[in-house]
């Protein structure tokens, strides 16, 4: 196992193999298995490409040989920041074939996040688009190289700049005619070793890396596919960022390829484009965060539907919603408005995946976040002293199993807090059990903002705000939002004589080059921060304060006549 990663104890590994959870196949082996089993069936569809399983293997192998030729070696790390394009899939499996370890990042990440991840992972390679919406990733690559001389390889989807390599160039060069294919056999990694790193939701100041092995990640998608109705006739639309665990492997594109289905990549945030793809390709399955699911429902109901969005969505069978809590009210509207079945997904990049089952009762599907997808998953719901709470009562969720990590990469101190002595991961989620044994997510203990499924570490943003010359103290909390569920609110105590407004704070934070979704959307300037009895900032008080203020503002905006029963503001 790669240094800095925690393996499963031998008796667990033995058990996971005995039960058939782990098959000792690499993610790269899958590419061969798929090509042999599914041949000329269509595997992948994007705006510009239709690729069969055999062609998929050809492109992946070609890219894998090029990675070796460029000098990349097993366990080398590559930070990947690609959008929903075919190159992502080629590269992910090419890396898996030769043991190069992708570090999965998101297109909105900027210099601050990417440079940290390149450094922390010791990456020697970076893969990115040329540009998206006016942001030039080649410029980011140049800036990275100035601070990380070890960043030897830059791969660009689109037009490369000097000193960078373009995917088009590599994919057009038939290297397999010059290099013996045995090179790939020789480079095959150990299935029990790390295959990729996912990013953690982030509860501390700096993001942590989640090492996922070939064995566990293959099972992750296989077990997920089995409870999601994924089969050879599945047409799966990827609209969320492809590097997220949810669309990647939970069940995601990986389980669809395992089953011989079709993956349709959508790189547009425009609903009309998304709906047009559903109609054109006959999409059956899609994974969304609650905010996007709600937008889809609004766009397809009643008279408000614009002509451009009037598309036939009748091929949709399963709408998977996860990443943040979906309230029962929108959950109940999925079938009437979109005409398909809802499946709630409560998952985490660290492992455990809960799904409502397709044959659960409507009530269970609307009211709960499902149950673990593998019989090998273990979970406990515990009180502050790690004692099991009685069934049905609230507690924090602990878990371990055949696809749940035993430790983050290279953070031994943090791991002692994030895992129990017997290897359970402390999810930080507060849950209870429904009478039928499904989990209901009621809240969380971890200090983050879940902005429509995108996780923001409060501590990370607080540390940045504290660097502002006019700030004496700061706390960042979630404020309720009807669409995104939560947005970020910053409480700031200015230094004497300093004045501060949101625009000024944002200018300061933007200069730090962080992803825009992390920027606070409201600033509350206060004289002091409320403290708990032990002298820590009371985020609970702050969350209640901002929720109260927002509720009062909403009432005011609605006007007294519209809210006859409401309390006076
Ligand atoms: C998914 O993964 P992450 O790693 O971005 O975030 C995990 C956390 C969970 O611990 C929980 O706090 C929250 O996101 N969460 C949910 C939820 N799904 C995730 N909270 C309430 N209801 C849900 N349905 O978000 C993720 C990974 C794989 C599949 C789906 C989601």
């Amino acid at each position: 196992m790669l240094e800095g990663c925690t393996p499963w104890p031998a008796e667990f590994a033995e058990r996971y193999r005995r039960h058939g959870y782990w098959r000792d196949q690499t993610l790269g082996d899958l590419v061969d298995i798929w090509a042999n089993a599914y041949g000329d069936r269509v595997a992948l569809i994007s705006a510009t490409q239709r690729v069969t399983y055999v062609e998929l293997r050809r492109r992946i192998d070609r890219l894998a040989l090029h990675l070796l030729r460029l000098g990349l070696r097993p366990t080398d790390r590559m930070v990947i920041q690609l959008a929903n394009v075919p190159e992502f899939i080629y590269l992910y499996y090419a890396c898996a074939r030769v043991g190069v370890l992708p570090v999965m990042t998101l297109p909105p990440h900027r210099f601050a996040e990417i440079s940290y991840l390149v450094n922390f992972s010791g990456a020697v390679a970076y893969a990115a688009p040329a540009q998206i919406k006016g942001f030039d990733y080649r410029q980011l690559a140049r800036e990275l190289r100035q601070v990380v001389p070890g960043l030897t390889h830059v791969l660009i989807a689109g037009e490369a700049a000097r000193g960078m390599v373009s995917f088009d160039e590599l994919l057009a060069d038939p290297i397999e005619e010059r290099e013996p294919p045995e090179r790939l056999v020789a480079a095959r990694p150990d299935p029990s070793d790390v295959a990729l790193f996912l990013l953690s939701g982030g509860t501390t100041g700096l993001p942590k890396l989640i090492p996922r092995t070939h064995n566990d990640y293959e099972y992750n998608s296989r077990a997920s596919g089995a409870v999601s109705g994924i089969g050879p006739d599945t047409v799966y639309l990827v609209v969320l960022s492809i590097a997220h665990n949810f669309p990647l492997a939970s069940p995601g594109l990986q389980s669809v390829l395992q089953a011989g289905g079709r993956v349709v990549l959508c790189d547009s945030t425009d609903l009309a484009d998304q709906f047009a793809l559903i109609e054109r390709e006959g999409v059956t399955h899609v994974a969304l965060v609650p905010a996007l699911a709600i937008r889809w429902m609004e766009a397809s109901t009643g008279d408000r539907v614009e002509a451009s969005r009037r598309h036939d969505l009748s091929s949709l069978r399963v709408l998977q919603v996860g990443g943040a809590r979906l309230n029962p009210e929108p959950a109940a509207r999925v079938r009437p408005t979109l005409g398909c079945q809802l499946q709630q997904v409560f998952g985490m990049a660290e492992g455990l995946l809960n799904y409502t089952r397709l044959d659960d009762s409507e009530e269970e599907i609307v009211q709960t976040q499902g149950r673990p997808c593998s019989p090998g998953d273990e979970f406990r719901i515990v009180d502050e002293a790690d004692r099991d709470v009685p069934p049905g009562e609230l507690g924090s969720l602990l878990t371990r199993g055949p696809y749940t990590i035993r430790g983050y990469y290279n953070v031994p101190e943090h791991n002692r807090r994030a895992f129990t002595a017997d290897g359970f991961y402390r999810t930080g989620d507060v849950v209870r059990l429904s009478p039928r044994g499904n989990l209901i997510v009621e809240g969380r203990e971890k200090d983050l903002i879940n902005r429509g499924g995108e996780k923001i570490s409060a501590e990370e943003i607080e540390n940045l705000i504290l660097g502002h010359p006019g700030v004496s103290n700061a706390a960042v909390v979630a404020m309720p939002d009807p669409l995104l569920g939560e947005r970020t609110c910053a409480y700031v105590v200015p230094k004497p004589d300093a004045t501060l407004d949101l625009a000024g704070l944002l200018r300061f934070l933007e200069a730090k080059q962080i992803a825009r979704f992390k920027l606070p959307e409201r600033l509350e300037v206060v004289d002091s921060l409320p403290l708990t009895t032990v002298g820590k900032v009371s985020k609970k008080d702050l969350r209640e304060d901002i929720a109260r203020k927002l509720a009062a503002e909403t009432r005011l905006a609605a006007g007294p006549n519209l809210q006859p029963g409401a309390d006076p503001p």
Side-chain angles (χ1 to χ4, degrees):
M1 188 93 162
L2 186 74
E3 206 181 310
C5 302
T6 320
W8 282 264
E11 68 269 28
F12 284 86
E14 188 274 321
R15 189 198 307 166
Y16 295 158
R17 286 195 172 87
R18 183 156 38 83
H19 286 285
Y21 307 146
W22 293 0
R23 290 180 167 174
D24 286 315
Q25 293 168 340
T26 70
L27 299 178
D29 294 342
L30 301 180
V31 177
D32 266 336
I33 296 170
W34 300 337
N36 294 335
Y38 309 128
D40 289 333
R41 292 172 62 97
V42 172
L44 180 61
I45 295 162
S46 75
T48 54
Q49 306 184 12
R50 289 181 96 77
V51 182
T52 66
Y53 277 89
V54 166
E55 178 62 17
L56 182 65
R57 170 171 60 186
R58 206 177 61 81
R59 293 186 191 190
I60 290 167
D61 282 0
R62 184 173 284 182
L63 197 53
L65 284 170
H66 276 296
L67 296 181
L68 293 177
R69 178 191 54 87
L70 289 168
L72 285 155
R73 289 292 167 261
T75 77
D76 277 352
R77 266 78 74 193
M78 174 177 322
V79 169
I80 298 185
Q81 196 182 12
L82 292 170
N84 296 359
V85 293
E87 288 90 337
F88 177 96
I89 298 183
Y90 307 152
L91 184 59
Y92 164 51
Y93 288 109
C95 286
R97 246 156 138 63
V98 297
V100 170
L101 307 180
V103 178
M104 298 299 186
T105 70
L106 304 174
H109 286 135
R110 291 293 176 260
F111 181 79
E113 290 96 358
I114 301 293
S115 62
Y116 170 76
L117 291 167
V118 167
N119 271 314
F120 185 72
S121 69
V124 298
Y126 170 60
Q131 49 184 339
I132 297 180
K133 288 189 193 133
F135 184 80
D136 195 326
Y137 293 82
R138 295 163 298 193
Q139 183 53 29
L140 174 53
R142 285 187 205 101
E143 288 162 20
L144 287 171
R145 276 179 157 170
Q146 274 170 12
V147 292
V148 197
L151 190 65
T152 320
H153 309 283
V154 175
L155 274 67
I156 298 292
E159 199 182 321
R162 254 182 43 147
M164 306 178 189
V165 184
S166 85
F167 279 91
D168 291 345
E169 203 181 300
L170 300 182
L171 289 167
D173 173 17
I175 186 173
E176 66 279 5
E177 293 170 9
R178 309 190 299 273
E179 301 269 349
E182 296 82 71
R183 289 204 63 185
L184 290 183
V185 180
R188 178 182 182 266
D190 179 342
S192 58
D193 216 328
V194 177
L196 70 155
F197 291 99
L198 297 172
L199 288 195
S200 77
T203 49
T204 54
L206 297 167
K208 289 176 300 298
L209 293 182
I210 298 171
R212 303 294 302 260
T213 64
H214 294 270
N215 270 332
D216 93 71
Y217 213 48
E218 185 276 328
Y219 181 56
N220 187 96
S221 48
R222 179 158 39 94
S224 295
V227 299
S228 312
I230 304 284
D233 56 349
T234 298
V235 183
Y236 181 89
L237 182 69
V238 181
V239 267
L240 300 179
S241 279
I242 191 165
H244 266 301
N245 188 33
F246 188 14
L248 181 58
S250 310
L253 66 96
Q254 185 158 282
S255 89
V256 177
L257 296 175
Q258 283 169 312
R262 290 183 182 193
V263 174
V264 180
L265 297 182
C266 177
D267 205 9
S268 165
T269 50
D270 190 329
L271 296 198
D273 294 338
Q274 298 168 1
F275 288 180
L277 268 178
I278 294 176
E279 179 174 278
R280 194 185 83 196
E281 301 298 340
V283 168
T284 61
H285 285 66
V286 63
L288 302 179
V289 292
L292 192 48
I294 291 167
R295 279 182 59 208
W296 275 30
M297 289 192 279
E298 282 173 356
S300 45
T301 346
D303 321 327
R304 279 175 302 163
V305 187
E306 299 155 33
S308 66
R309 292 186 175 157
R310 243 176 252 137
H311 285 285
D312 179 5
L313 306 184
S314 61
S315 59
L316 271 182
R317 279 186 260 168
V318 181
L319 179 77
Q320 303 188 307
V321 182
R325 191 184 148 85
L326 177 68
N327 289 320
E329 183 267 327
R333 273 192 289 132
V334 168
R335 194 189 283 283
T337 53
L338 295 170
C340 63
Q341 153 130 46
L342 168 68
Q343 182 173 38
Q344 295 213 40
V345 187
F346 161 40
M348 52 207 73
E350 287 81 356
L352 180 72
L353 299 165
N354 303 281
Y355 295 87
T356 55
R357 300 305 196 261
L358 302 181
D359 59 359
D360 274 352
S361 70
E362 188 70 14
E363 187 186 341
E364 210 73 2
I365 290 171
V366 165
Q367 301 282 347
T368 79
Q369 280 67 55
R371 56 186 181 278
C373 65
S374 165
D377 285 318
E378 302 172 69
F379 71 83
R380 298 176 56 201
I381 303 174
V382 300
D383 65 14
E384 306 84 64
D386 282 356
R387 287 173 305 222
D388 293 299
V389 301
E393 300 212 343
L394 277 187
S396 47
L397 179 68
L398 312 182
T399 186
R400 67 181 181 189
Y403 60 95
T404 296
I405 57 163
R406 293 299 187 116
Y408 293 100
Y409 177 61
N410 242 345
V411 283
E413 279 299 301
H414 179 77
N415 284 339
R416 274 189 275 283
R417 274 173 279 131
F419 295 82
T420 65
D422 54 355
F424 280 82
Y425 166 57
R426 298 182 187 278
T427 67
D429 292 310
V430 176
V431 304
R432 68 186 165 84
L433 222 44
S434 81
R436 295 190 168 275
N438 275 9
L439 293 168
I440 300 169
V441 185
E442 295 281 11
R444 64 168 180 264
E445 294 158 337
K446 45 192 174 188
D447 194 8
L448 53 78
I449 295 97
N450 188 340
R451 186 180 185 276
E454 225 51 277
K455 316 302 185 301
I456 302 163
S457 153
E459 192 184 322
E460 178 185 347
I461 307 307
E462 286 160 4
N463 287 342
L464 291 174
I465 297 177
L466 287 170
H468 188 290
V471 168
S472 131
N473 204 357
V476 162
V477 294
M479 55 181 174
D481 181 77
L483 183 60
L484 289 175
E486 299 175 13
R487 291 180 194 262
T488 306
C489 175
Y491 279 83
V492 172
V493 183
K495 285 197 178 143
D497 303 330
T499 54
L500 208 65
D501 59 13
L502 183 60
L505 179 65
L506 291 183
R507 269 195 305 280
F508 173 79
L509 290 175
E510 275 165 6
K512 301 289 175 193
Q513 304 197 58
I514 57 170
R516 286 197 66 86
F517 68 78
K518 294 181 181 172
L519 296 173
E521 286 166 278
R522 179 164 174 141
L523 171 67
E524 292 290 308
V525 176
V526 290
D527 294 333
S528 64
L529 296 173
L531 298 180
T532 64
T533 46
V534 295
K536 292 208 307 186
V537 172
S538 172
K539 298 226 164 164
K540 183 167 170 282
D541 285 338
L542 293 177
R543 278 192 297 269
E544 285 170 8
D545 180 64
I546 192 63
R548 224 174 8 246
K549 284 193 172 116
L550 285 169
E553 288 166 14
T554 312
R555 278 199 299 271
L556 214 56
N561 299 334
L562 294 173
Q563 298 266 317
D567 296 331

